[in-house]
Amino acid sequence: MEDKGSLLIRGGTVVTATARLRADVLVRSGRIDAVGPDLGIDEADVDRVIDAAGCWVMPGGIDTHTHLAHPIGRLGVTTADDFYTGTVAGAFGGVTTIIDFGLQEQGGTLTDARDHRFGVIDPDAIIDFGFHLIVTDVNEGVLAEMGDLIRSGFPSFKVYMTYGDKKIGDDDLILLLEVAGEHGGLIYAHCENDCAVTHLIERHLAEGKTGPAYHATSRPPAVEAEATNRAIMLAELAGAPICIAHVTSSGAARHVADARARGVAVAAETCPQYLVLDSSVYDPGAGCEVAKFVCSPPMREHSHVDALWDALADGSIQQVSSDHAPFRYEGQKTGGCDNFTQIPNGLPGIETRLPIVFTEGVASGRLTPERFVELTATAPARLFGLTEKGRIEPGADADLIVVDPEREVEITADVLHSDVDYSPYEGMRLKGFPTWTISRGDVIIDNGVLTAERGRGRQVERIPIDPANLP
Ligand code: DUC
Ligand code: ZN
Ligand code: ZN
């Protein structure tokens, strides 16, 4: 692997969230040292030169929503990627930072959730990482811990408005929002109406509608739109910022856009699966194969797909993350062939996130290259308090990808690096995979070859969130 010395990336098109220019990038000691049209550096004076002619040089992707080595207690399964395979897959897909999760046990503290997670991540991660703390049990102790956690680099807290024993109610959500708002924290909310989901699941099962395809009809768009609006309203009431996780529907996107228009500090993300797949994946005729596409919220009818692209282009959704929650089809997803409630929810996607947004967004003309960078790197950094990442400027961490915009890859599970036996995107032809991925100046994917040492990833610095500074 490249050691920390100097690296010159010569002659590429540097794309940032605000500009595109032909420039060299000089990296020294893991940070960006200089960027300019012709830095006039003698190749003999640097340790390594990458010839980026014909390529785009962009900030490494920041994926703020991954579930690696994540236990789903109710079903007794854990996501199929650990922090090695998951971050390797990320690096091949141009990701240089992830923000994963630390789960509070019932009766446990958030500090324990944090400390437990370090031991799981540190030995394995090859890219930099942070994690959100998932609050499942709100009590006086938890509310008292939050200020110190926020000030010590853990400013974001995930909440589930549904999902069995992980769910919190509105009463607890208000308390969390108030405390987060007071100390510079950010609540990151999975929004689905739990009463409606529970009722619809029971009704489906009572009517014998148990196959995987019924997962989607048990969680229709109104379930998401209602909870999204409620979460935003509670945040407005508490005077706290909020980020809405994985927006999938036009109704939810409209609530976000309306709230932003009236000045509420709300941000939102969507994910690639909702941008290129639609509800046709839930074809009852496909039998158990449908389980490969079971995630929550589910994919929607095609009109919602168009609405999400519009929301990305017009700024009402600010970031694209993967919600990478990989499960193997054989042995994990197939556990629910006869009962959709037993299918672990989630799709693999850390490696294909940038290529999907690049291909379907930039190459197809829906997004500018600058907007691509904003959605996949610069905005996520700003939203979650990552001060050193997501931009190509002197002083920033040298987290970079070099992409040949014409190179196309046909997707199969075999060409990807996640520890799963399928891809939801089999057969798609995607551009936007990096030829080189650089993390803090180390070339970790070198012309398509993994060169990173296991465990080289570091915890990222994160600062409290200023609601006035949301993307
Ligand atoms: N949704 C999923 O489908 N998987 C992981 C968690 C989530 O919210
Ligand atoms: Zn979620
Ligand atoms: Zn998730």
Side-chain angles (χ1 to χ4, degrees):
M1 187 174 54
E2 198 74 19
D3 63 358
K4 289 267 186 302
S6 51
L7 167 68
L8 179 66
I9 304 170
R10 172 158 274 170
T13 299
V14 172
V15 186
T16 70
T18 51
R20 217 179 313 167
L21 75 159
R22 185 84 190 273
D24 299 339
V25 180
L26 178 65
V27 173
R28 280 192 201 283
S29 302
R31 292 190 181 255
I32 294 169
D33 190 71
V35 186
D38 182 4
L39 294 177
I41 294 181
D42 192 328
E43 297 197 356
D45 292 340
V46 288
D47 296 314
R48 167 130 189 218
V49 177
I50 288 178
D51 177 5
C55 294
W56 293 9
V57 182
M58 299 185 279
I62 297 176
D63 192 342
T64 71
H65 192 158
T66 64
H67 299 270
L68 303 178
H70 188 116
I72 310 275
R74 187 176 64 85
L75 297 177
V77 293
T78 298
T79 51
D81 278 320
D82 60 21
F83 278 85
Y84 183 66
T85 59
T87 56
V88 166
F92 274 106
V95 179
T96 49
T97 305
I98 56 167
I99 309 185
D100 202 272
F101 298 95
L103 175 68
Q104 180 199 13
E105 301 292 338
Q106 293 293 316
T109 66
L110 294 179
T111 307
D112 283 346
R114 177 196 65 185
D115 294 345
H116 169 72
R117 212 51 178 154
F118 278 122
V120 178
I121 306 176
D122 273 357
D124 281 348
I126 71 151
I127 57 176
D128 290 350
F129 60 86
F131 47 104
H132 318 279
L133 296 167
I134 304 177
V135 190
T136 62
D137 186 4
V138 179
N139 54 50
E140 288 297 322
V142 161
L143 298 172
E145 282 177 291
M146 285 172 63
D148 281 346
L149 286 166
I150 291 166
R151 286 183 288 277
S152 65
F154 293 85
S156 49
F157 301 89
K158 176 81 180 285
V159 298
Y160 288 99
M161 295 172 77
T162 188
Y163 262 142
D165 64 353
K166 293 203 189 84
K167 170 200 76 178
I168 64 161
D170 292 351
D171 44 358
D172 287 336
L173 180 51
I174 296 173
L175 291 172
L176 288 177
L177 282 161
E178 283 178 347
V179 176
E182 193 183 326
H183 294 281
L186 178 68
I187 299 298
Y188 189 18
H190 173 124
C191 301
E192 290 183 290
N193 180 310
D194 185 61
C195 295
V197 170
T198 305
H199 168 73
L200 288 171
I201 288 175
E202 280 170 9
R203 182 191 283 175
H204 276 72
L205 297 180
E207 290 174 357
K209 295 176 174 170
T210 59
Y214 293 110
H215 169 77
T217 48
S218 73
R219 307 175 99 98
V223 161
E224 179 194 5
E226 186 283 326
T228 302
N229 192 40
R230 184 159 31 102
I232 293 171
M233 291 288 195
L234 294 180
E236 191 172 3
L237 206 81
I242 191 163
C243 177
I244 307 299
H246 45 48
V247 169
T248 72
S249 62
S250 57
R254 201 170 328 109
H255 287 309
V256 173
D258 289 351
R260 286 172 65 89
R262 63 176 191 272
V264 182
V266 54
E269 71 179 13
T270 189
C271 313
Q273 53 272 37
Y274 306 117
L275 293 167
V276 292
L277 302 175
D278 61 25
S279 54
S280 62
V281 298
Y282 302 117
D283 171 9
C288 198
E289 291 280 312
V290 170
K292 293 177 176 175
F293 300 96
V294 165
C295 57
S296 292
M299 271 63 86
R300 307 299 190 189
E301 286 183 2
H302 202 79
S303 60
H304 296 276
V305 175
D306 293 333
L308 294 177
W309 280 112
D310 290 347
L312 289 178
D314 72 19
S316 42
I317 292 183
Q318 296 75 43
Q319 73 160 6
V320 180
S321 62
S322 68
D323 199 3
H324 179 76
F327 295 98
R328 298 181 67 78
Y329 175 64
E330 293 295 343
Q332 289 193 306
K333 291 281 193 182
T334 51
C337 291
D338 300 325
N339 181 343
F340 67 86
T341 67
Q342 301 303 304
I343 302 170
N345 284 203
L347 304 187
I350 192 170
E351 191 169 354
T352 43
R353 178 182 67 123
L354 265 62
I356 286 174
V357 182
F358 189 91
T359 307
E360 297 297 325
V362 181
S364 76
R366 285 169 167 133
L367 303 175
T368 63
E370 290 87 346
R371 185 79 185 136
F372 168 83
V373 169
E374 169 79 9
L375 289 165
T376 58
T378 309
R382 200 155 122 210
L383 182 55
F384 288 104
L386 297 156
T387 53
E388 313 297 304
K389 309 279 191 192
R391 56 207 161 78
I392 304 184
E393 285 166 17
D397 279 357
D399 289 0
L400 299 161
I401 53 175
V402 182
V403 173
D404 172 354
E406 299 308 323
R407 190 169 71 88
E408 208 172 55
V409 175
E410 182 169 333
I411 301 302
T412 63
D414 287 347
V415 302
L416 300 174
H417 299 83
S418 209
D419 197 8
V420 287
D421 51 359
Y422 78 101
S423 166
Y425 310 110
E426 299 273 343
M428 280 182 73
R429 299 189 66 81
L430 296 179
K431 295 178 176 175
F433 283 96
T435 304
W436 290 277
T437 301
I438 297 149
S439 163
R440 280 180 283 104
D442 291 338
V443 181
I444 59 169
I445 301 296
D446 194 348
N447 208 358
V449 176
L450 175 69
T451 53
E453 281 161 31
R454 195 173 189 130
R456 68 166 293 285
R458 284 199 204 140
Q459 192 208 339
V460 286
E461 302 283 326
R462 294 210 286 146
I463 60 167
I465 310 302
D466 176 359
N469 192 37
L470 292 193

